[in-house]
């Protein structure tokens, strides 16, 4: 079976939408898809509530600045205090494009595998309980490479 | 024949130049090249004149903010009100590097195929008449994946 | 032998760390790795001291704005006058993550090949003497493509 492996590094709304578009498109064509969420991309698969568990003040501060949750993602351009991002969401709705949350559900239905990056979680003080239940596994670069090596489509987004 | 397939997601001048460098380089080496312009990348293959056709005020507003045209692209860093971008263009000229417009012509001569993303066009209210004549076709993620699956070089830029 | 080829286009600290993570991970798994540093990515493999050689005032100005050196890299988000970037470095140290300089040494030990992009060097007025000694070769897009075509993992970062 042909494989697609995507590294989702960014949490920009536009890039995340592109990633899910390629993921669901690949799955619809019968490909086996793995999305590897790393660095800011981890915010896409975090629960809306900020994690408060860390005993390290820097991780707590980073947690306050860097809020997770699929509904919080912003455009990489024209965010403009929320106006641009809100407009894009409205235009997407008008064009019957699914939201990121709907994209996550659709991906799960289509069998897309979602992996959270161990290293990022450790640096940023994010715990397993902070991630949405749709996440299939927590793994490192070796797992990514095993998948990527056998993939016909492999992108860094 | 070996294939190269590039997703041009960004309209940052520097990234677009990198994309065309890889595209024309691949074509010069006898590879079959497809550039898939999506999201902000669509601005690279839009005519200079803003489109005024949309009846939806949000699409009109987005159209005013998000002007297309290969000569309007800015650097991702050091744009500085145009000074950095202007300087980069001047340095490129000094080094005999072609401009984006010249890169587009060169790509066409070398047989590079340029594809505009259907989904982006719909969301942003961009019509076929808004695109430069060099565009070969308008297509969605399935067309991209068919190409990408068979490509030896496949990048998200 | 399986190959990994990475284009390091960005000099954002977070993206550069991701690139070295994939590079050293690949090398540890016995893959042959080439990192191709282009555009802003060239800053990663530049010496800390700014180059003062150029006779062209624009290149001199660009050299002043665009300082190289692995210790100068900033986060793509939350840089905040250095606070965010400093915090990230501290968190990485706490998690026993190596710095970029350590990553470069580790990569060399593991046999990762580092290539500097000719075209970028010419445009930006960077000379061979401005690069760190770990750089293996200076080459253009054709060399990149020869490697990329035969690679199982090939990313634009």
């Amino acid at each position: 079976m042909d494989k697609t492996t995507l590294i989702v590094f960014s949490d920009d709304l536009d890039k995340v939408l592109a990633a899910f578009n390629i993921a669901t498109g690949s799955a619809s064509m019968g490909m086996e898809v793995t999305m590897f969420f790393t660095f800011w991309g981890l915010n896409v698969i975090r629960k809306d509530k900020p994690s408060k568990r860390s005993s390290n003040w820097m991780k707590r501060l980073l947690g306050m600045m860097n809020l997770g949750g699929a509904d919080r993602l912003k455009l990489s351009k024209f965010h403009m205090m929320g106006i641009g991002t809100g407009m894009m969401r409205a235009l997407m709705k008008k064009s019957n494009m699914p939201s990121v949350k709907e994209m996550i559900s659709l991906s799960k239905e289509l069998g897309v595998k979602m992996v959270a990056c161990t290293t990022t979680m450790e640096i940023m003080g994010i715990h397993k309980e902070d991630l949405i239940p749709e996440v299939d596994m927590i793994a490192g670069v070796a797992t990514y490479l095993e998948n990527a090596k056998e993939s016909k489509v492999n992108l860094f987004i």
Side-chain angles (χ1 to χ4, degrees), chain A:
Chain A
M1 198 190 268
D2 288 343
K3 288 187 181 187
T4 293
T5 301
L6 306 175
I7 298 185
V8 185
F9 175 91
S10 169
D11 65 350
D12 293 329
L13 176 60
D14 36 19
K15 291 197 184 162
V16 171
L17 287 170
F20 276 106
N21 238 349
I22 296 168
T24 54
S26 299
S28 305
M29 287 169 70
M31 297 175 81
E32 202 181 310
V33 187
T34 307
M35 297 178 90
F36 199 84
F37 295 88
T38 185
F39 237 91
W40 314 113
L42 216 61
N43 288 333
V44 180
I45 51 167
R46 277 170 68 192
K47 290 182 188 154
D48 292 340
K49 258 184 283 188
S51 142
K52 275 168 197 164
R53 263 172 232 86
S54 185
S55 56
N56 176 311
W57 69 268
M58 280 193 296
K59 290 190 187 182
R60 275 205 309 274
L61 195 57
L62 190 71
M64 271 160 42
M65 298 191 307
N66 186 38
L67 294 172
D71 288 338
R72 280 215 182 79
L73 312 182
K74 296 165 191 167
L75 282 182
S76 64
K77 283 179 62 170
F78 301 132
H79 177 60
M80 302 193 305
M81 318 283 289
I83 300 171
T85 301
M87 225 167 75
M88 184 59 71
R89 284 192 209 278
L91 286 176
M92 281 170 55
K93 218 168 183 175
K94 276 224 155 163
S95 310
N96 293 316
M97 278 277 296
S99 69
V100 175
K101 279 207 168 154
E102 288 163 334
M103 285 284 208
I104 293 175
S105 303
L106 181 60
S107 298
K108 288 309 290 185
E109 277 169 40
L110 292 168
V112 171
K113 219 195 288 176
M114 303 201 187
V115 184
C117 169
T118 323
T119 314
T120 312
M121 288 176 69
E122 197 172 326
I123 296 179
M124 300 214 181
I126 296 170
H127 301 264
K128 209 190 158 189
E129 314 87 70
D130 302 325
L131 303 177
I132 58 174
E134 284 88 348
V135 174
D136 294 283
M137 96 194 263
I138 296 171
V141 69
T143 305
Y144 160 70
L145 286 168
E146 286 300 352
N147 274 284
K149 263 168 56 175
E150 293 170 7
S151 294
K152 295 230 167 171
V153 177
N154 175 31
L155 303 169
F156 183 95
I157 298 179

